[in-house]
Amino acid sequence: MESKIETVNLLELLSANKRQVDKIILNFLPDRHRNEEISTLYTMMRDYPARGGKGLRGSICLLWCELFGGLKKNALITASALELFQNWILIHDDIEDESDLRRGLPALHKKYGTPLAINVGDALHGKMWELLLKNNEEVGREQTLMILREFSTMLNETTEGQQMELSWTANSKWDIDEDDYFLMVTKKAAWYTCISPARMGMILGSPRASRLMSELLDRTVKMGTDVGISFQIIDDVLNLVADQKKYGKEILGDIFEGKRTLMVIHLLKNSSSSEREKIICILSKPRSQKSRDDAQFVFERMRTLGSIEYARSVAKKYSKAALREFDAIMSESDLEGSEQAKITRSLIEYMTERDY
Amino acid sequence: MESKIETVNLLELLSANKRQVDKIILNFLPDRHRNEEISTLYTMMRDYPARGGKGLRGSICLLWCELFGGLKKNALITASALELFQNWILIHDDIEDESDLRRGLPALHKKYGTPLAINVGDALHGKMWELLLKNNEEVGREQTLMILREFSTMLNETTEGQQMELSWTANSKWDIDEDDYFLMVTKKAAWYTCISPARMGMILGSPRASRLMSELLDRTVKMGTDVGISFQIIDDVLNLVADQKKYGKEILGDIFEGKRTLMVIHLLKNSSSSEREKIICILSKPRSQKSRDDAQFVFERMRTLGSIEYARSVAKKYSKAALREFDAIMSESDLEGSEQAKITRSLIEYMTERDY
């Protein structure tokens, strides 16, 4: 009963944060221009940011800032820039993955064509840095530059992870082991989903750089990696088994896309060589040539061989490790048992144990 | 004779600058990674920067820094970031324009496919900001943040200009007047080719922000706009009439691409309505369906109607205005007649009067 009340509180907090962040983003992005084409650019730039989403990354940043004693208002610009990051990178991601839908609506390049959509992604990317420069008025030059450096690292990691995944597809590579997979997920998802937002919140919440903080920032990489891996595995599991109404994306979409998930790696490893060949043949087909039966076949094999249960157990292992790491960080910073620590911990639990 | 010696000196200076900037870029970009796919990303990131080019933008920044009394070494990081800017934006530009070639070699997306090339552009874009953060060690926090703001403005302008041109193509729009064209060229080319590099050099060369400097920065926008417009018109004229050996790009390529140039606007305005229709029909054809005869027909009409001569005269008008504005800026800052002023002026002349 108590856990249920906490989840309700957490969800309310997330949506309140999201409203604040959305307001900053939509006030910041330009609105109208006397030139018709530029006005259309502005409309396109507002498209993804106006489509909703949970705003998890922004909330992590806000929560970690408060956790370390900072004011929420000092982290709002950074939290908003994190959400802008996700939006521009999703515009390019949808082109790269040939996705048709984003949050239930046509992907941007499906609405306006690929050339314009690439340019809109770049324009929004530029706006992210412009927004971050406004930190100077709120938190001063030193923290402004520290946050810019964090964004730079986050972008390096994310593009490296994206390169790994896109190369696997482009080169039809299927002999991927779990280490490859964890490296890809850490780079492509963990950094921008958890490591960087938490580190940025910590920087903004701490009055001044210290040796303890530098150690805690390092430990946050470990914790955020574990959260991110667990989060991504759950995301991929949900793509197979979620309730369609709650989920909002296409069930089995990852199989149609030929995505290398932990379940696929487990399935290929545990199949006979002839079956392995058949599964790779199905997964490698272009999306348009894959039938519902093809996808269903792969899914059934995953179920039979326990690939989904295996992935859940790995996610659980990473989730537990993340919580242990979080508790250790709280203990070292004398924040154990604080109200803020409880709510931040519940967000980690939520991200790694959610069912939609 | 004297003017010839000056040109030789200028070209030597440009190539010496280019070598310094290239060295910084190639030392800065990552080289090798234990993961094979990430190593390939690094190779791809180095591809365009290693292809040569004149390095005009970096040189403008270096020259303006020295012109205002600064040390060249203080502007090297910014000059290198300007060249990185051009490289990542060209990667995306080549995808958006469906260009096959870049500096005589296959465009990046032709070598590796569009998904990977988009991501490489983003990775290199990220590296541009990372490099700019290194300014902090050279010129301190205040100038570092000022330069970051200049980059942010430059990127806003460039993406707006790109949106205008891409929209004209996407919407088959041909009723474009000269004001539309000048706005597009100012945003798409003048800002990153001249306005921003000169402003950045001025900021880095001046010991400290002052009211005079703020006025001079404003006047640099006017001067750089005129240089940029003149530069772009000459670039488009050369695409029609350059000596193929010197030029290095495909002659008449812009006609094959259906690009809206000043010559096209002049041609459409001065053609009979039936001929106008025929020309638009040719220009609107997809590249693959345009014959050499089609392109030659449009070119001959331009010649007959004096469109090329007209464009040259407009370029000359902007070039003269730019030089007048430059002289006025020199006079107001008491720099008239200095050695640095002479060489900087000769670069403006070169950019707006070059024949390759």
Side-chain angles (χ1 to χ4, degrees), chain A residues 82-97:
Chain A
L82 279 164
E83 294 299 317
L84 278 184
F85 178 84
Q86 205 203 353
N87 281 299
W88 77 255
I89 216 154
L90 286 179
I91 293 174
H92 285 181
D93 211 58
D94 287 343
I95 301 170
E96 290 156 11
D97 295 342

Side-chain angles (χ1 to χ4, degrees), chain A residues 49-79:
Chain A
R51 286 195 190 185
K54 297 193 197 79
L56 285 175
R57 290 138 189 108
S59 267
I60 293 176
C61 175
L62 296 174
L63 281 171
W64 279 73
C65 173
E66 289 184 289
L67 182 58
F68 281 83
L71 295 171
K72 190 183 192 176
K73 76 174 184 58
N74 286 346
L76 278 170
I77 285 178
T78 306

Side-chain angles (χ1 to χ4, degrees), chain A residues 42 92 122 125 130 156 160, chain B residues 42 92 122 130 156 160:
Chain A
Y42 295 166
H92 285 181
D122 291 336
H125 183 175
E130 184 182 336
N156 288 342
E160 290 183 3
Chain B
Y42 295 166
H92 284 181
D122 291 336
E130 184 182 335
N156 288 341
E160 289 184 3

Side-chain angles (χ1 to χ4, degrees), chain B residues 61-310:
Chain B
C61 174
L62 296 174
L63 281 170
W64 280 73
C65 172
E66 289 184 288
L67 183 57
F68 282 83
L71 296 171
K72 191 184 193 176
K73 75 173 184 60
N74 286 346
L76 277 170
I77 284 177
T78 305
S80 305
L82 278 164
E83 294 299 317
L84 278 185
F85 178 84
Q86 205 201 354
N87 281 299
W88 76 255
I89 216 155
L90 286 179
I91 294 174
H92 284 181
D93 213 55
D94 286 343
I95 301 169
E96 289 157 10
D97 296 342
E98 296 178 37
S99 304
D100 293 339
L101 290 175
R102 170 63 56 191
R103 294 183 188 137
L105 294 170
L108 202 70
H109 66 285
K110 288 281 159 187
K111 286 172 76 175
Y112 299 95
T114 295
L116 282 163
I118 296 175
N119 187 56
V120 171
D122 291 336
L124 209 56
H125 183 175
K127 284 287 168 191
M128 175 189 88
W129 296 100
E130 184 182 335
L131 182 58
L132 286 169
L133 290 169
K134 291 192 180 291
N135 261 333
N136 196 32
E137 296 146 37
E138 301 289 332
V139 298
R141 286 181 197 158
E142 186 175 339
Q143 290 197 334
T144 299
L145 287 167
M146 284 180 82
I147 296 296
L148 289 169
R149 267 180 228 114
E150 292 290 322
F151 266 84
S152 164
T153 303
M154 177 173 76
L155 181 49
N156 288 341
E157 295 290 340
T158 311
T159 49
E160 289 184 3
Q162 179 70 342
Q163 166 87 13
M164 287 182 74
E165 196 173 35
L166 291 174
S167 300
W168 293 343
T169 305
N171 306 327
S172 307
K173 183 168 172 173
W174 291 101
D175 59 328
I176 293 157
D177 61 27
E178 290 197 355
D179 284 347
D180 298 329
Y181 172 79
F182 290 133
L183 181 65
M184 182 278 286
V185 169
T186 300
K187 285 179 174 286
K188 188 180 163 170
W191 272 90
Y192 94 93
T193 300
C194 188
I195 302 171
S196 299
R199 285 172 59 96
M200 291 172 194
M202 194 186 272
I203 289 167
L204 292 164
S206 309
R208 167 152 293 284
S210 67
R211 200 163 136 200
L212 174 63
M213 190 177 113
S214 153
E215 274 167 33
L216 293 175
L217 282 171
D218 283 345
R219 297 189 70 155
T220 303
V221 176
K222 174 78 179 72
M223 183 217 68
T225 302
D226 292 344
V227 173
I229 290 175
S230 176
F231 177 84
Q232 188 60 52
I233 295 173
I234 297 290
D235 209 58
D236 294 343
V237 166
L238 289 175
N239 187 271
L240 300 173
V241 302
D243 177 344
Q244 175 75 76
K245 279 178 211 149
K246 278 187 181 178
Y247 186 60
K249 277 186 267 185
E250 184 192 15
I251 300 292
L252 304 194
D254 288 348
I255 296 181
F256 279 104
E257 213 178 82
K259 189 171 165 182
R260 280 72 171 164
T261 63
L262 192 57
M263 290 75 82
V264 167
I265 293 169
H266 180 272
L267 174 63
L268 292 176
K269 193 174 147 192
N270 291 283
S271 297
S272 67
S273 84
S274 73
E275 197 164 60
R276 191 183 138 89
E277 211 168 298
K278 181 173 173 188
I279 293 162
I280 289 177
C281 169
I282 292 176
L283 289 172
S284 303
K285 283 188 198 176
R287 203 192 161 98
S288 57
Q289 287 169 36
K290 238 173 251 179
S291 69
R292 174 90 5 220
D293 281 353
D294 282 340
Q296 200 61 35
F297 172 80
V298 174
F299 174 60
E300 290 302 340
R301 293 309 299 155
M302 284 176 178
R303 271 230 287 239
T304 309
L305 286 175
S307 306
I308 299 169
E309 276 323 295
Y310 171 74

Side-chain angles (χ1 to χ4, degrees), chain A residues 284-324:
Chain A
S284 303
K285 284 189 198 175
R287 203 194 161 96
S288 57
Q289 286 168 37
K290 238 172 251 176
S291 68
R292 175 96 353 226
D293 280 353
D294 282 341
Q296 199 61 35
F297 173 81
V298 174
F299 174 60
E300 290 301 339
R301 293 307 301 153
M302 285 175 177
R303 270 229 289 238
T304 309
L305 287 175
S307 306
I308 300 168
E309 275 324 294
Y310 172 72
R312 277 194 209 274
S313 74
V314 175
K316 187 77 198 164
K317 193 185 84 184
Y318 278 94
S319 165
K320 277 186 179 164
L323 288 167
R324 266 199 312 274

Side-chain angles (χ1 to χ4, degrees), chain A residues 87-209:
Chain A
N87 281 299
W88 77 255
I89 216 154
L90 286 179
I91 293 174
H92 285 181
D93 211 58
D94 287 343
I95 301 170
E96 290 156 11
D97 295 342
E98 297 178 37
S99 304
D100 294 340
L101 290 175
R102 170 63 56 190
R103 292 183 189 137
L105 295 168
L108 203 70
H109 66 286
K110 287 284 160 185
K111 285 173 76 174
Y112 300 95
T114 295
L116 284 164
I118 295 174
N119 187 57
V120 172
D122 291 336
L124 209 55
H125 183 175
K127 284 288 167 191
M128 176 189 87
W129 295 99
E130 184 182 336
L131 182 58
L132 286 169
L133 290 169
K134 290 192 182 289
N135 260 334
N136 196 30
E137 296 146 37
E138 301 289 330
V139 297
R141 286 181 197 158
E142 185 175 339
Q143 289 198 334
T144 299
L145 288 168
M146 284 180 81
I147 295 296
L148 289 169
R149 266 179 229 113
E150 291 290 323
F151 266 84
S152 164
T153 303
M154 177 173 76
L155 181 48
N156 288 342
E157 295 290 340
T158 310
T159 49
E160 290 183 3
Q162 179 70 342
Q163 167 87 12
M164 288 181 74
E165 196 173 35
L166 291 173
S167 300
W168 293 343
T169 305
N171 306 328
S172 306
K173 184 168 172 174
W174 290 101
D175 59 328
I176 294 156
D177 62 26
E178 289 197 355
D179 283 348
D180 299 328
Y181 172 79
F182 290 132
L183 181 65
M184 183 278 286
V185 169
T186 300
K187 286 180 174 284
K188 188 179 164 169
W191 272 90
Y192 93 94
T193 300
C194 188
I195 301 171
S196 299
R199 283 172 60 96
M200 292 171 193
M202 194 186 271
I203 288 167
L204 292 164
S206 308
R208 167 152 294 283

